Amino acid sequence: MERIVTGMSIDEVLKTMRGHEGYYITNTARDLSQSDFKNRILLHTDLLAAPAREKANYFSLEITGGASVHVDILRKQVDPFLKLELLREQMPNTMFQTLCRGVNLFGYRPYPQNVIRLAVREFAKYVDVWRVFDFMNHIPNMLAVFEEVQKAGKILEPCVCFSTGPEHTDDFYVKKVGEILEVTGDEILLCIKNHGGLGTPRRIGQLVAAIKDSYPDIVIHYHGHNTDGNDVGRISAAVKNGAKIIDAADHSFTGYYGPPPILSVIHDLREEGYEPVGINESAIIETSEVLRSEREHYEYFESQFKGFSPTVQIHKLPGGAMGSSFEQAVKGDFLDKMPEILHDELPQVQKELGNYWSVTPGSQILWTTAVNNVLDGDRYGNPTGDLKNLLLGKYGPFPFYQPPDWIYEKVFGADWKKILEEQGGLEEIEDIDIEKERAALAKRLGYEPTEQQLVTYLQHPNDAVEFFKFEEKFGKVYVLPPSILMRRGGFKLGETLQFKDHNGKEHVIEIGPKQKSEDGKWEVYLNVDHHERQYSFQEVVQGSVAQEAQLSKEEVEDLAKAGDVRAPFKANVCEISVEEGQDVKVGDRLAMVEAMKMQTPVDSVVNGKVEKIFTELGRALNVGDKMIKIKVDEG
C-alpha cells in the first residue's frame, strides 16, 4: 500500500485512491473541537496527540480553518500559522486539511479578491487539502479560492452543501456538481458537506449514487455530523454507494454535535465488507488514550444541552453552531427560550428565507434572526446588516425562491422595492490597498508585521492586533496545558504549578504576591522555571460607574433623530467610520457593531457634524450606551 502523504499532487492522490478498493479516513479534529467544545481544544492537546495521529495513516487531518483561525487568536492565544508549523514538525507525512468558506475565507463576510488570494497563498504553504464551500452553493463565490489552491499545486475539494426539503433533489445537486467541474476540471475531490447531519442513511446513499451515475470517476468525500446519533449509518450508506473518503474523529473526545467515532465507523463498515486503506487501528486507540485525560479540562466548553438531538432534522442548525448557540443563550440569559427558538421559530425562518443551507455565515443569519424574533416579540423588526445583505442578494441569488414581500417591507420599509432595485444584487468588492493596510498594522503594532500577521489582520483586524500585543507582552502561551490555561477560579498566593509541555519538558510556576502601584496598576509576581517575572495590570472596577437605565428600541431611535446615537442592542464595536469634526449626511455609516458574529451598521439619520465619539474599537456596549454625538444642522 502506498500511503498518501503531504506533497503529493492531485494526480498522484487520485491514481492512488482509484487503485484501491477500500475507503480512506479524514480525522476531523478541527470540526470536533468546533462542534463539541466551542473551538477551545488547545494546540498543547493536539501536539500531545500528534505522534499517534501521524502513525494512524489517515488520508488527512483537518486541523485548521472554519472558525478556528479566529478563535485561535481570540480565545486560545496561539498564532494559527505557528500551530501548523509545530504540528508539521510532529507529523511530517500526514496531509493537513482546512475548511474554507470561499469568499468569506475564515471569517463571516465577503473579502476583497486580493485579500482572498493573499490568504490562500500563505496558508497553502502549510495546508494540503482545501475543502471549500459557499453557504448559497453559489460557484462564483468560490472561484478565487479554487484558482489559488490549484495554482499552489494543492488538493482542491469543492463542496456541495446538503440539506433537506422538496427543493433539495438529486437533480439539483448533480447539476451543481456539473457547474463545479466546468470551472475546476476533473482533477478534484468532491465533498458532500452534510454540516447539520441531515437526512437518513438511505437519502445520503441515493445522493452519492446519483452523482456517481453521472460522474463515475469522481472521488467523493462524505462529511457529516452526528447530532442525531445517526451519522455512522449515513457514512456506511455513502461508502456502499461509492464514496471514497469519510470523516470521523477520536472516540475519547467525541460528543453530540460533531463527527462520530472513527473506530465505530471502521467496525460498522467491516461487517459490510469494506476496509479502510492503510489504517493503523492501534494508533487510533493510542490517540484516544493520550487524549482521554485531557477531556476533563474542557468540560466547561461542552454544550449545556446533553444528549443527541434528532430534532436537528427540524431546525437544521449545523454541529459547529450548536455549541456556540447554547453559549450565546447562557450569556444572553435566554437559555429557557431555546426550545421555542430551535423547534418553532428557526424552522419557520428557514422556510421564509428560502430554505437555503444553514452553514456559516448563513446559519448565523438564520439563527440571529430567529433569536431576535423571539426575544423582541417583533418578527423581522430588528434586522441585522447581514440579514439586509442577504435579502439584497449580496451573498448570491436565492437558489429556490425569494422570501415573501412582507419580509422585505418589514426590513426595509415602504420603499423596499425601490431599495431592492437600486441596491440589490451581487456587487464586486473592490480590492483594498494591501500596502496601506500593512502600514496601518505597523503603526498599531510599532513594528513591521510579518506576511502571516498581515493575513491574520486582514481577516480579523481588531482581534488580531489585540492578540499580537498580548503575545508581545506575555510571550507564547501554547506551552500551557488546559489544566492551567483553562482553569477556573484563579490561583492562590504561594501555589506551585507543575506541568510538562508537549515535548515532555518539566516546568514550574510559583504564584507570587501582588501589590498596587502608585499609578493604580496591580503588579503581579510569578516565578517561572525559577526566573522571576513581573506583570502589570490595570484593575477593572466592576460597578464603579453608574449604569444608565436600558433604553427601549423606540427611545434609541428618537435620540438618534436628535443626534444622540446610542447602541441599538448589546454588541461590540468593530468599526468606527467617522472622526470628530466630520460632516455627515443621512444614511452615512457612523460605526459598525457586532453581535453573535453578525455585523450591523449604525447609520446617521440626520445631517450634521460629529461632535464627540464616546466609544472605541472593541468596546462592549449595552442597549442605549452612548456612541456618537452629532450636532444637527438646523433647517
Side-chain angles (χ1 to χ4, degrees):
M1 191 282 300
E2 181 186 350
R3 179 180 178 181
I4 293 175
V5 297
T6 183
M8 291 178 72
S9 69
I10 181 64
D11 292 335
E12 293 174 291
V13 169
L14 292 175
K15 181 179 179 181
T16 301
M17 286 190 161
R18 289 166 178 160
H20 291 282
E21 291 297 321
Y23 64 95
Y24 292 79
I25 297 175
T26 288
N27 184 323
T28 47
R30 193 273 329 157
D31 202 350
L32 174 74
S33 175
Q34 179 165 335
S35 299
D36 287 310
F37 299 93
K38 302 183 177 75
N39 245 322
R40 297 309 206 282
I41 304 300
L42 299 179
L43 172 59
H44 185 280
T45 299
D46 283 324
L47 285 169
L48 288 178
R53 283 176 173 164
E54 169 74 357
K55 291 186 294 185
N57 297 337
Y58 295 119
F59 163 70
S60 63
L61 173 71
E62 188 192 89
I63 199 62
T64 188
S68 74
V69 173
H70 187 207
V71 180
D72 279 347
I73 61 172
L74 183 65
R75 304 293 183 207
K76 298 189 287 186
Q77 283 72 51
V78 64
D79 188 306
F81 289 100
L82 176 63
K83 176 173 76 173
L84 293 170
E85 289 178 12
L86 294 175
L87 285 169
R88 177 55 72 209
E89 292 175 3
Q90 301 293 322
M91 306 181 71
N93 294 310
T94 303
M95 293 207 298
F96 289 165
Q97 181 169 312
T98 189
L99 177 68
C100 180
R101 299 161 176 167
V103 72
N104 304 299
L105 280 175
F106 307 120
Y108 313 102
R109 54 202 51 85
Y111 291 99
Q113 292 284 299
N114 60 343
V115 171
I116 295 170
R117 294 179 184 278
L118 176 63
V120 173
R121 288 197 297 269
E122 199 62 32
F123 271 96
K125 296 174 182 177
Y126 307 92
V127 176
D128 303 281
V129 183
W130 286 74
R131 177 179 289 167
V132 188
F133 75 93
D134 177 72
F135 82 96
M136 296 293 267
N137 272 328
H138 188 53
I139 309 304
N141 285 346
M142 299 184 277
L143 288 182
V145 179
F146 287 175
E147 291 171 2
E148 291 300 326
V149 170
Q150 291 183 316
K151 283 180 185 177
K154 300 299 181 176
I155 313 300
L156 178 61
E157 185 177 290
C159 298
V160 285
C161 295
F162 172 79
S163 191
T164 54
E167 303 84 9
H168 295 268
T169 64
D170 287 345
D171 287 344
F172 173 84
Y173 288 111
V174 170
K175 181 180 178 183
K176 191 61 63 174
V177 172
E179 292 176 15
I180 289 172
L181 294 174
E182 283 179 11
V183 298
T184 64
D186 297 334
E187 303 302 292
I188 62 164
L189 307 178
L190 176 79
C191 177
I192 297 175
K193 182 171 170 55
N194 188 7
H195 39 272
L198 302 177
T200 63
R202 181 180 180 182
R203 175 71 191 98
I204 295 302
Q206 288 174 339
L207 177 58
V208 173
I211 294 173
K212 291 291 288 184
D213 283 345
S214 295
Y215 302 99
D217 292 331
I218 199 164
V219 173
I220 295 176
H221 189 161
Y222 172 77
H223 163 79
H225 283 166
N226 203 32
T227 306
D228 64 349
N230 203 21
D231 209 49
V232 174
R234 286 186 287 265
I235 288 172
S236 181
V239 171
K240 285 189 282 186
N241 282 278
K244 200 70 176 178
I245 318 169
I246 60 91
D247 284 0
D250 300 296
H251 55 267
S252 65
F253 259 56
T254 47
Y256 306 112
Y257 305 131
I262 295 167
L263 279 182
S264 298
V265 171
I266 291 174
H267 296 159
D268 182 74
L269 281 168
R270 182 165 289 149
E271 288 293 306
E272 302 287 345
Y274 296 87
E275 288 290 336
V277 178
I279 285 293
N280 180 341
E281 290 185 46
S282 296
I284 294 174
I285 296 171
E286 180 186 346
T287 304
S288 275
E289 293 307 312
V290 169
L291 291 173
R292 194 173 302 282
S293 62
E294 295 276 291
R295 182 163 184 161
E296 64 179 290
H297 306 300
Y298 296 105
E299 182 179 8
Y300 177 75
F301 301 106
E302 295 194 58
S303 174
Q304 286 79 6
F305 278 29
K306 306 297 183 186
F308 293 109
S309 180
T311 56
V312 70
Q313 304 298 333
I314 300 171
H315 62 71
K316 301 182 182 179
L317 200 62
M322 287 293 289
S324 62
S325 68
F326 289 118
E327 182 178 36
Q328 291 164 8
V330 170
K331 291 179 178 178
D333 195 27
F334 59 89
L335 192 60
D336 61 316
K337 299 287 187 181
M338 285 296 281
E340 178 184 356
I341 293 169
L342 288 176
H343 303 148
D344 298 327
E345 185 60 25
L346 188 53
Q348 186 64 26
V349 168
Q350 281 262 6
K351 293 177 182 177
E352 291 169 346
L353 294 184
N355 197 23
Y356 66 80
W357 297 268
S358 182
V359 62
T360 306
S363 53
Q364 279 87 352
I365 298 173
L366 295 168
W367 160 252
T368 305
T369 301
V371 170
N372 289 342
N373 287 354
V374 169
L375 299 187
D376 295 345
D378 181 18
R379 301 191 76 240
Y380 297 98
N382 185 21
T384 63
D386 295 281
L387 173 59
K388 291 180 179 179
N389 285 335
L390 175 78
L391 293 172
L392 289 171
K394 302 300 183 186
Y395 291 102
F398 285 94
F400 305 118
Y401 56 87
Q402 291 278 128
D405 292 354
W406 71 264
I407 291 179
Y408 281 91
E409 185 170 3
K410 190 65 180 285
V411 170
F412 295 108
D415 292 333
W416 68 270
K417 289 184 179 179
K418 181 180 178 182
I419 293 172
L420 186 60
E421 182 180 346
E422 293 178 349
Q423 301 179 28
L426 273 170
E427 59 184 9
E428 186 174 343
I429 302 173
E430 292 185 5
D431 284 353
I432 64 171
D433 187 336
I434 289 181
E435 292 310 311
K436 183 178 179 181
E437 293 299 320
R438 190 193 306 273
L441 177 57
K443 183 176 180 181
R444 293 179 70 175
L445 295 179
Y447 58 85
E448 283 298 316
T450 66
E451 202 74 0
Q452 294 176 354
Q453 287 178 316
L454 177 63
V455 166
T456 305
Y457 169 79
L458 290 173
Q459 294 179 83
H460 306 289
N462 298 318
D463 293 331
V465 170
E466 289 299 314
F467 165 69
F468 298 145
K469 289 183 176 180
F470 172 91
E471 195 170 64
E472 184 179 12
K473 182 176 182 180
F474 297 108
K476 300 185 187 302
V477 302
Y478 68 84
V479 297
L480 294 175
S483 59
I484 294 177
L485 194 61
M486 298 301 193
R487 176 168 163 174
R488 300 178 61 78
F491 302 94
K492 297 178 182 179
L493 177 64
E495 186 175 358
T496 298
L497 309 172
Q498 294 181 303
F499 66 94
K500 292 181 180 180
D501 63 23
H502 58 279
N503 289 321
K505 182 180 178 181
E506 296 274 359
H507 297 276
V508 178
I509 300 176
E510 297 173 287
I511 309 300
K514 69 175 185 177
Q515 63 182 19
K516 205 167 190 177
S517 61
E518 293 182 358
D519 60 1
K521 291 184 178 180
W522 282 101
E523 306 294 335
V524 179
Y525 296 87
L526 302 174
N527 278 323
V528 181
D529 291 342
H530 310 296
H531 295 280
E532 185 177 287
R533 298 287 187 270
Q534 178 182 342
Y535 299 99
S536 297
F537 297 92
Q538 184 69 51
E539 184 176 28
V540 178
V541 181
Q542 300 292 335
S544 61
V545 179
Q547 296 291 314
E548 296 186 41
Q550 192 174 97
L551 302 176
S552 68
K553 177 183 175 183
E554 291 73 20
E555 288 171 323
V556 169
E557 291 174 350
D558 288 342
L559 286 168
K561 295 173 184 176
D564 186 357
V565 182
R566 304 294 186 102
F569 45 80
K570 190 173 183 179
N572 292 319
V573 180
C574 59
E575 178 186 309
I576 297 175
S577 311
V578 293
E579 299 176 349
E580 291 181 0
Q582 181 177 332
D583 291 326
V584 294
K585 298 177 182 178
V586 174
D588 285 352
R589 180 180 296 177
L590 304 173
M592 186 81 77
V593 294
E594 184 175 50
M596 293 189 284
K597 300 181 182 178
M598 294 288 99
Q599 290 189 350
T600 299
V602 178
D603 298 333
S604 179
V605 297
V606 298
N607 298 324
K609 179 173 289 188
V610 177
E611 200 168 56
K612 188 169 180 60
I613 297 174
F614 295 96
T615 191
E616 59 186 12
L617 286 175
R619 177 172 291 180
L621 301 174
N622 289 314
V623 179
D625 282 355
K626 284 180 174 290
M627 294 184 67
I628 295 170
K629 176 65 176 175
I630 299 173
K631 185 177 181 180
V632 181
D633 290 345
E634 296 183 4

